[in-house]
């Protein structure tokens, strides 16, 4: 199993540009999540999905969009990039989303700089 | 609202000694889970240990143990016999089940940087 994979690893965007961060998991997990991590801070939830076709906002959704057409893929779209979106983005997945244990498995992250 | 507080921005420990990283949480939910993740300088998030709110025993995983004090709302991570490879950022996180389900969403603390000296 590759686990959770994210592309690209690094990206520099100009203000106003758009891009899609890709996330794929091969563990047949129902639940998927996008977090952002600002320098020296903990992770904050952007969006999450409980299955194909079902997504919902997290704590910091403004400026982002998601879709979930398959169990495996959960892309994050940035429209009109702003410097405040400079961050490291992590995708994660879990099987049940609740219950005993059931930790989230994280991808390696995408480091995004908006200038 | 759920909140996780890690009051130690940085901690230092001598190799082979034990260290405790503090975590306090705030929730009104009865059912919740507490996680610790390690983030080395390479950036990936590594799951270490989990404690459920109804678990009566403190969780242990190898050199990691979780000192769970429910009344004090604390879930401190204890690393025994520290190794140089333990130098990393450590995050405490909480998953609550408000209304019966949380969809697994995690709330993270700000982290503690642990440095292990030889």
């Amino acid at each position: 199993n590759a686990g959770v994979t994210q592309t690209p690893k690094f990206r520099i965007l100009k203000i106003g540009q758009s891009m899609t961060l890709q996330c794929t998991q091969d563990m047949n997990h129902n639940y998927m999540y996008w977090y952002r991590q600002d320098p020296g801070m903990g992770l904050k939830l952007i969006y999450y999905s409980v299955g194909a076709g079902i997504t919902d906002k997290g704590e910091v959704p403004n400026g982002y969009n998601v879709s979930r057409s398959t169990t495996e893929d959960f892309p994050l779209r940035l429209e009109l990039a702003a410097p405040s979106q400079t961050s490291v983005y992590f995708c994660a997945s879990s099987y049940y989303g609740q219950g005993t244990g059931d930790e989230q498995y994280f991808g390696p992250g995408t480091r995004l700089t908006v200038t | 609202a759920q909140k996780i507080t890690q009051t130690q921005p940085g901690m230092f420990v001598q190799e082979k000694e034990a260290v405790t990283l503090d975590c306090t949480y705030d929730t009104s939910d009865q059912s919740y889970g507490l996680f610790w993740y390690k983030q080395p300088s390479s950036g990936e998030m590594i799951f270490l240990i989990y404690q459920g709110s109804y678990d009566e025993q403190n969780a242990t995983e190898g050199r990691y143990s979780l000192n769970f004090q429910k009344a004090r709302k604390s879930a401190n991570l204890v690393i025994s016999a520290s190794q140089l490879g333990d130098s990393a950022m450590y995050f405490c996180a909480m998953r609550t089940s408000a209304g019966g389900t949380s969809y697994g969403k995690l709330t993270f603390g700000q982290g503690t940087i642990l440095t292990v000296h030889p």
Side-chain angles (χ1 to χ4, degrees):
Chain A
N1 281 353
V4 180
T5 57
Q6 292 182 238
T7 57
K9 283 187 169 47
F10 304 92
R11 183 73 186 266
I12 299 174
L13 279 183
K14 293 191 186 307
I15 294 171
Q17 287 184 323
S18 301
M19 75 164 294
T20 299
L21 280 65
Q22 301 292 344
C23 175
T24 300
Q25 53 92 8
D26 63 357
M27 297 173 282
N28 201 31
H29 285 169
N30 295 322
Y31 294 79
M32 295 188 74
Y33 312 86
W34 275 106
Y35 294 90
R36 60 176 285 173
Q37 183 182 22
D38 298 331
M41 304 292 285
L43 281 68
K44 292 188 176 180
L45 183 66
I46 305 172
Y47 270 95
Y48 67 100
S49 169
V50 303
I54 307 170
T55 63
D56 204 351
K57 296 176 181 179
E59 184 183 355
V60 289
N62 291 344
Y64 307 94
N65 275 302
V66 294
S67 59
R68 183 103 180 266
S69 57
T70 66
T71 300
E72 294 78 21
D73 299 309
F74 190 38
L76 177 72
R77 178 83 178 161
L78 278 72
E79 304 282 3
L80 298 174
S84 61
Q85 293 178 303
T86 294
S87 191
V88 179
Y89 292 84
F90 287 98
C91 179
S93 72
S94 66
Y95 189 49
Y96 290 112
Q98 57 187 324
T100 301
D102 189 34
E103 68 271 19
Q104 291 183 14
Y105 293 81
F106 283 80
T110 294
R111 187 175 296 274
L112 175 68
T113 303
V114 182
T115 62
Chain B
Q2 282 64 245
K3 187 175 181 182
I4 291 280
T5 303
Q6 295 180 253
T7 57
Q8 306 156 314
M11 288 285 286
F12 296 88
V13 66
Q14 208 68 28
E15 194 177 9
K16 300 179 185 174
E17 292 187 348
V19 62
T20 298
L21 306 184
D22 295 340
C23 172
T24 58
Y25 60 91
D26 186 20
T27 181
S28 56
D29 297 319
Q30 297 301 309
S31 177
Y32 51 90
L34 295 154
F35 298 78
W36 277 92
Y37 281 86
K38 173 184 178 181
Q39 187 177 44
S41 57
S42 51
E44 72 267 33
M45 296 288 288
I46 302 168
F47 166 73
L48 295 177
I49 197 167
Y50 167 83
Q51 179 85 42
S53 58
Y54 295 118
D55 294 342
E56 294 184 355
Q57 304 268 358
N58 285 345
T60 60
E61 288 286 348
R63 294 187 298 110
Y64 304 108
S65 61
L66 202 152
N67 184 1
F68 181 48
Q69 298 187 41
K70 196 169 182 177
R72 298 179 61 182
K73 293 190 174 180
S74 74
N76 299 338
L77 177 71
V78 180
I79 306 175
S80 63
S82 296
Q83 302 172 355
L84 296 178
D86 293 334
S87 293
M89 176 79 92
Y90 288 81
F91 290 101
C92 181
M94 177 170 61
R95 177 187 66 210
T96 61
S97 300
T101 185
S102 69
Y103 303 115
K105 294 178 287 181
L106 293 178
T107 299
F108 283 83
Q110 290 192 308
T112 296
I113 299 175
L114 176 66
T115 303
V116 181
H117 289 303

